[in-house]
Amino acid sequence: MTIRVMLVDDQVLLRTGFRMVLAAQPDMEVVAEAGDGVEALQVLRSTAVDVVLMDVRMPKLDGVETTRRICAEPDAPKVLILTTFDLDEYAFSGLKAGASGFMLKDVPPGDLLAAIRAVHSGDAVVAPSTTRRLLDRFAPMLPSAGKEPRHKELERLTEREREVMVLVAQGLSNGEIAARLVLSEATVKTHVGRILTKLGLRDRVQVVVLAYETGLVRAGGHG
């Protein structure tokens, strides 16, 4: 199945570069482009898109607010935020707005393609070390990043589910969590599914953000 990708960036040269990389893939097609958030929302009304590559700093409507509006729609495409190190705070806001992950703009093409495929398949791009650095840097600024979890909904989780949630928030894959807790990967997947359902979360990115917001995981990546 072909992954329909939309490029949203105010730099034409950057869009051209990404389009060339994606066009060379047999399972990807760039079906739309936009130079700002307003244009992106207009295009999405009439174009079917699976994954949106979203720049953050754009005129008229920035990538964070555009992401929030896209993700609020039913059957919304997945959004992958593109950022640079000096815009980390925007990437964090983008994750909170509903993005399924973020990548650096100078990411190697292979990593970008893998991220698009992962997001399209329902995974969230939260494992790279850049994500951990971002969360470690901005988690202390969250209003409720204290030492004890303060989110009432966390009380719905079993002790095992809380263990799994902490490891998800630290960026571990299901396989890594299975090895750490001496469980089967299928069991870990079941636990992750229950965590999402109980907490009303969409994907692993939201698990990560909530874990930091509630203090379940603190800056430095330790629960």
Side-chain angles (χ1 to χ4, degrees):
M1 187 172 73
T2 301
I3 303 172
R4 298 165 297 187
V5 180
M6 179 179 189
L7 305 176
V8 183
D9 197 300
D10 60 336
Q11 296 180 48
V12 178
L13 197 59
L14 209 70
R15 293 206 310 267
T16 301
F18 282 133
R19 192 190 321 116
M20 289 173 64
V21 171
L22 300 184
Q25 304 305 306
D27 61 338
M28 295 185 193
E29 179 186 2
V30 176
V31 295
E33 294 185 34
D36 60 66
V38 173
E39 185 184 355
L41 294 172
Q42 290 172 341
V43 171
L44 281 170
R45 291 192 190 106
S46 58
T47 308
V49 174
D50 298 311
V51 178
V52 178
L53 291 187
M54 180 73 70
D55 184 26
V56 177
R57 279 194 169 172
M58 296 182 294
K60 298 183 183 176
L61 194 65
D62 67 35
V64 173
E65 181 57 30
T66 306
T67 296
R68 186 175 291 110
R69 296 187 191 184
I70 289 173
C71 294
E73 295 294 322
D75 300 319
K78 304 291 175 56
V79 178
L80 195 55
I81 296 276
L82 293 171
T83 186
T84 54
F85 274 120
D86 60 334
L87 294 180
D88 278 351
E89 62 270 29
Y90 292 100
F92 185 80
S93 299
L95 295 181
K96 291 193 68 176
S100 292
F102 84 97
M103 300 295 289
L104 299 176
K105 280 194 173 181
D106 59 357
V107 64
D111 289 357
L112 176 66
L113 297 172
I116 292 171
R117 292 185 180 107
V119 165
H120 179 252
S121 70
D123 287 336
V125 184
V126 296
S129 58
T130 46
T131 304
R132 294 177 189 153
R133 281 203 298 273
L134 175 144
L135 288 166
D136 287 346
R137 179 176 160 193
F138 291 100
M141 301 178 191
L142 292 168
S144 57
K147 290 190 176 181
E148 294 300 322
R150 300 177 187 177
H151 200 287
K152 276 294 197 185
E153 292 177 6
L154 293 184
E155 294 173 6
R156 300 177 190 169
L157 303 182
T158 64
E159 192 59 39
R160 177 63 88 189
E161 286 164 354
R162 288 165 73 97
E163 280 184 277
V164 171
M165 183 172 177
V166 167
L167 296 176
V168 168
Q170 291 173 0
L172 273 65
S173 67
N174 285 354
E176 291 168 332
I177 294 171
R180 180 80 62 91
L181 299 179
V182 197
L183 299 170
S184 72
E185 199 164 333
T187 300
V188 172
K189 195 171 182 179
T190 299
H191 282 312
V192 172
R194 285 180 183 153
I195 292 166
L196 295 176
T197 301
K198 286 183 178 182
L199 301 181
L201 304 176
R202 189 191 61 252
D203 57 32
R204 295 169 84 97
V205 164
Q206 292 192 334
V207 171
V208 174
V209 172
L210 181 63
Y212 275 82
E213 281 186 318
T214 57
L216 186 64
V217 171
R218 296 186 294 282
H222 303 293

